[in-house]
Amino acid sequence: MRYADIVLPVPLPKLFTYEVPNEYHGTLAAGQRVVVSFGKKKLLSGIIFSLHNNKPEAYETKPIISILDDKPIVTLSQLKVWEWMADYYQCTLGEVYKAALPSGLKLESETRIFYNDEFEAETEMPEKTQQILDFLAAKKYSTISEINQFSGLKSCHHIIKQLIELDAVVVNEQLKGSWRPKTEVFLSLHNNVRNENSLRDAFDSLSRAPKQLEVLMLFLQSTGGVSEAMTGKEVLKKELASKAVNSSTAINELIKKEMLVQVKRNVDRLLTSKIENVQKVKTLSPEQDSALQETLKGFDENLPVLLHGVTSSGKTEIYIHLIDQAIKKGQQALYLLPEIALTTQITNRLKAHFGEKLGIYHSKFSDDQRVEVYNNLLNNKSYRVILGVRSSVFLPFSNLGLIIIDEEHENSFKQFDPAPRYHARDVALVLGQGFKSSVLLGTATPSIESYYNVQNNKYRLVELTTRFEGMMMPEIIVVNTREAQRKKMMQSHFSPQLLEHISEALSNKQQVILFQNRRGFAPFMECMSCGWIPKCKHCDVSLTYHKHIHQLICHYCGYSSNVHATCQACESPTLNLKGFGTQKIEEEIGQIFPDASIARMDYDTTRSRKGYENIISGFEQGEYNILVGTQMVTKGLDFDRVSLVGILNADQMLNHPDFRAFEKSFQMMAQVSGRAGRKHKRGTVIIQTSDPEHPVIAKVRSNNYAAFYQEQIEEREQFNYPPFYRIIHLTIKHKNQNVTNQAANYLAGLLRSVFGSRILGPQVPPVNRIQDHHLQRIMIKYERKASPSQVKKLIRDCINQTLANERWKYVQIVNDVDPL
Ligand code: ADP
Ligand code: ZN
Ligand code: ZN
């Protein structure tokens, strides 16, 4: 094997062939990381994809510079999934590689500027240049950003260039990896004092050093007693130090006197306290048990199972049984959840059963922690079950027996940006095929696609129709806001019925959830004289008013602007806030119920690491009476005291211009209703709408998923939408609007010559300018029975032909397969 094809983190659609130096012959394998030089000076770390003897004809190969691992860190089954993803989602292996590994495992190159020791200045230098040179001389080497920071310059490039010409510095690419093992310092009793006599002598010698004496006593206590200490038991240094004020000097003295010794050890960042009594799995109710048996039957037929169970029916208990069985068979399990549903609630529930066997993979984890989860699985250490978000489909499993995709209908399983724009549910199914794993999709509101697979016998359906212990489904009241408005009975955004129920719930010490699927205070401002609306400078969207910071903010790019006092078009001082978001609801409900304590949960309040969990645990513990929130409040939360859920504006969801709007509205309304009345008594849901007869609302009210599905599937068939047709979006982007339009028209023309009427557009997307780039979109709709890889190859050819045109060289074409 003299050549290696290597995956590099660059957006070029190919593998790169390098030569294997003689000394590495026979020792390399696919999945190992190597360092190679790329371009003129750049060093990159990449993954060996395959090894072979075929000398490339077109170019001279460069040798691999070094090998970073003794054994592969990416398994063959992972590489297979990567390959499938690159092909299916039309991205490069390099892009998959970037998404798949935590950054700590992807060494990145950085430019280092080295001081030349032999340099002697011949002429005097400008002051700033001399300062930078002295800085480099002292440090030996540094980076551009460090030098900028040191010098206070915006850019030091011109100075570095001069220094290079003078031979004062040498520039080199170096690799840096961010992951380092974490170390802690441990203390134990020194060998010299590990017998009673010498220990007593030691105590005597400390009679005039009371602090040291105190610390030594504390140390012995911490080990659990003298005899434990004699065996060499270790104590964490910082823990001992925390037990007495100002103890560090005393500790160091004891070390100097050879009474204590310290050692540094690598520790696990995710080390959790041992759980002594793991909880046994709960006994299932007869209905749950028969659902479990049917699920196992589906697995025996090698079919994925769709578990359609109403909220609180015990789906999670069934998952726990299945995981338990998989572990007992020596297999691994993956439990996938959308980011937002991965709360302490579910983590604690699984931890109680699986203790140290449970690994968690989460975007709120630091990269170092993610590397440790990755390595734990790779080296087959403690983890048997992974509870994780979409990126956990990239982990190095070796014996994956079970995959659970909970809340399978959730859109957040799909990655929007950057590539790979993958759907974790679909990748998980492919992952499952590779391992021949059993796959379970669970939800109270199945996606149309998954239910269609049931109808076509691709999945087996298992149903749970009642809540655990006969808890009742909530009573759903639909309130006609148009009528209430006409009778002038609305109090700001609340109908009299909703206010009455809130006040009743509050006086019964029950909790209330108010759902408004829009954040901010008001979605836009408008001039009452001329209709002018403040828009983002960089995007074609109106700015949302955020009251607490009194700013207008773009929800697409984050641009913010002061609030204008007068209209920028007609100068009249008649700017008004229109519409309403969570902040406004929070403020208004606070004015109506001044004694109620209110929490708000949306993107703005949950950005910090702990924000989300604090709100949830605060609400759980009854610190708040009312929780106002966006769709975040609809996800898999389990609250005991919520008796009322109010949906403030159902029309907003239903009127969204998208063929999935009804599906999403049904799911959101049904999910948020599921939060009402979970444990003790029947809850109430109030839906405010101007269209109470709307067919989707009728189905939510009667909790009739099957009828809802039937209506939807007929519509999808009639209008050639998924699951009957597959969709690909091509988005064309460029800073110049004409260039965008011309390239889009050209590409659409090429595509039409191949696909005919399956091509729609180009059309400006709903938001047609984002971050100063003008957008056009082409939609390709093709029959389900067509071969996806054939179709995609034809599309690729058309894209390449477009980009080959000199005028459109810098046009970006973004490929979104199965867009949501
Ligand atoms: P789902 O996942 O369908 O929403 P859960 O599994 O969360 O439902 O069940 C709802 C509540 O009922 C949870 O608090 C759960 O612990 C409890 N529960 C469900 N099934 C059982 C059972 N067989 N034994 C004891 N408690 C159960
Ligand atoms: Zn913007
Ligand atoms: Zn105006």
Side-chain angles (χ1 to χ4, degrees), residues 536-541 543 554-559 770-771:
C536 176
K537 261 187 161 164
H538 310 286
C539 314
D540 172 46
V541 284
L543 295 168
C554 171
H555 285 184
Y556 279 79
C557 75
Y559 167 81
I770 295 179
Q771 293 187 323

Side-chain angles (χ1 to χ4, degrees), residues 526-533 566-575:
E526 192 179 36
C527 170
M528 300 316 278
S529 336
C530 77
W532 177 78
I533 292 171
T566 56
C567 171
Q568 303 291 292
C570 75
E571 297 190 351
S572 62
T574 50
L575 287 174

